[in-house]
Amino acid sequence: MDTLLAVRASGITKCFGDVVALDGVDLEVAQGGIHGLVGPNGAGKTTLLGLLLGLAVADRGSLEILRTPVGRALAAPDGVAGFVDGPGLYPSLTARQNLAALAALRGPGAGTAGIDEVLDQVGLTDVADDRANGFSLGMRQRLGLAAALLTRPRLLVLDEPSNGLDPAGKRHVHGVLNRLAAEGTAVVLSSHRMDDLEALCSEVTILATGRVVFSGPLGKLAAENRELDYRIVTSDPAAARRVAAGTPGVRIADDGAERLVVRAPVPALDELVVRLVGAGVAVRELAPVVSPLEAAFLALTDQPQEDVR
Ligand SMILES: Nc1ncnc2c1ncn2[C@@H]1O[C@H](COP(=O)(O)OP(=O)(O)O)[C@@H](O)[C@H]1O
Ligand SMILES: [Mg+2]
């Protein structure tokens, strides 16, 4: 199965002086997969992505990128593109000039995609001739993505690509990443946005203080059948509260105010919905208060829910 892996990292350790940024990290990214890296600030996400881009080398462990072992030299592995800590751009050049400069640096015949094509893919056609220094963070992120696309990468590495994106920008970026993955490119990205990761990623790795606390398909997190808090909106809140109180496995988790929040495993939640409908109470909305990924993230990284949002 190794031939299907774009990244195979094993026992990766990286220290900065006394700080252990990565502590025995294993990571496998399938070719054609979108893999999300999640973790609190300082968890080691940027450090790990930097290793994939050849910006630094690990102190210990082995790293194979696109089936090629990464040596001790600082070099961008062939077929890899992306950025950490924001894309490097020439502020006084326009979007189109930035891309032309990058294409020229790589020289002719490098198998590059067309500049107009990548500008269109990231939704920057209308501002192609505006200078980058007038761009918002979200526009700079998209221009950085366009620059990476120029090389037609087989592994795309993006650090917090959703930062600063408005809904339209996000739609472009998600569209680009999904299309690349469908064509066989592997994508590794970090994000603080659980909703983005849930929408995009086939697999996630959760890092906390340099260690992997979970790695695998999102479904595996959800399948752990942990209890979640669900917000329920019904046609008759008082009746719904009584029915919930009488349903085995369901606990009322709110403060008794307007909204009804219950904590329950999925089978008990199903039973509650059946009972509500049986009692003539219509269910208008039912959604987890935090998403399954966010709940797992908070539980695995020991952060109380109140600290977030
Ligand atoms: N160049 C560096 N020099 C010193 N410490 C660093 C450097 N890069 C990262 N670190 C430290 O390594 C740890 C992981 O950082 P980082 O990979 O940036 O985390 P994340 O991206 O998850 O927020 C942090 O404690 C950070 O302070
Ligand atoms: Mg970071």
Side-chain angles (χ1 to χ4, degrees):
M1 296 298 280
D2 283 4
T3 50
L4 299 176
L5 290 180
V7 175
R8 187 160 62 153
S10 164
I12 294 288
T13 295
K14 177 72 184 174
C15 303
F16 297 102
D18 291 344
V19 176
V20 184
L22 297 173
D23 188 3
V25 167
D26 299 335
L27 177 72
E28 292 195 345
V29 179
Q31 201 65 62
I34 304 183
H35 195 108
L37 276 187
V38 204
N41 291 331
K45 304 180 296 294
T46 298
T47 303
L48 182 55
L49 296 175
L51 296 179
L52 302 184
L53 285 167
L55 301 173
V57 290
D59 299 326
R60 283 195 295 282
S62 70
L63 178 59
E64 262 180 41
I65 292 180
L66 301 169
R67 268 79 66 200
T68 306
V70 171
R72 308 297 304 164
L74 283 181
D78 251 4
V80 182
F83 55 83
V84 295
D85 293 331
L89 301 170
Y90 302 103
S92 59
L93 299 186
T94 67
R96 190 190 303 282
Q97 287 168 338
N98 263 282
L99 296 176
L102 287 167
L105 274 176
R106 259 190 300 276
T112 57
I115 288 172
D116 287 325
E117 180 191 336
V118 297
L119 283 168
D120 179 53
Q121 283 178 17
V122 302
L124 290 180
T125 302
D126 291 348
V127 293
D129 297 312
D130 293 355
R131 287 175 187 226
N133 59 8
F135 280 11
S136 68
L137 173 61
M139 290 159 81
R140 289 202 302 274
Q141 298 269 39
R142 284 191 276 159
L143 184 52
L145 175 59
L149 294 177
L150 276 179
T151 68
R152 297 194 187 280
R154 281 171 293 137
L155 171 62
L156 179 64
V157 176
L158 300 170
D159 196 14
E160 310 279 356
S162 302
N163 279 0
L165 289 183
D166 61 17
K170 192 167 98 172
R171 202 165 54 241
H172 277 289
V173 170
H174 284 204
V176 167
L177 300 185
N178 279 322
R179 193 183 43 72
L180 283 175
E183 291 167 2
T185 295
V187 180
V188 186
L189 58 98
S190 67
S191 181
H192 285 115
R193 300 286 312 269
M194 304 293 162
D195 51 345
D196 277 353
L197 292 173
E198 284 176 334
L200 270 176
C201 296
S202 42
E203 304 210 336
V204 293
T205 292
I206 302 179
L207 282 177
T209 55
R211 291 169 186 253
V212 173
V213 292
F214 172 86
S215 191
L218 277 169
K220 194 171 140 199
L221 271 180
E224 284 175 0
N225 201 19
R226 61 179 69 247
E227 291 193 346
L228 290 180
D229 287 353
Y230 298 90
R231 190 173 53 84
I232 304 179
V233 180
T234 64
S235 56
D236 185 344
R241 191 173 292 276
R242 281 194 302 277
V243 173
T247 304
V250 172
R251 280 185 292 146
I252 294 185
D254 62 21
D255 51 10
E258 278 292 281
R259 62 182 203 155
L260 175 60
V261 177
V262 299
R263 179 166 301 174
V266 169
L269 187 71
D270 289 347
E271 176 62 21
L272 171 58
V273 173
V274 169
R275 289 184 181 208
L276 285 171
V277 173
V281 179
V283 177
R284 292 175 179 166
E285 280 180 44
L286 193 164
V289 174
V290 298
S291 72
L293 176 60
E294 190 154 358
F297 170 72
L298 294 171
L300 289 167
T301 56
D302 280 324
Q303 291 192 351
Q305 300 201 358
E306 299 79 59
D307 279 6
V308 178
R309 70 178 57 199

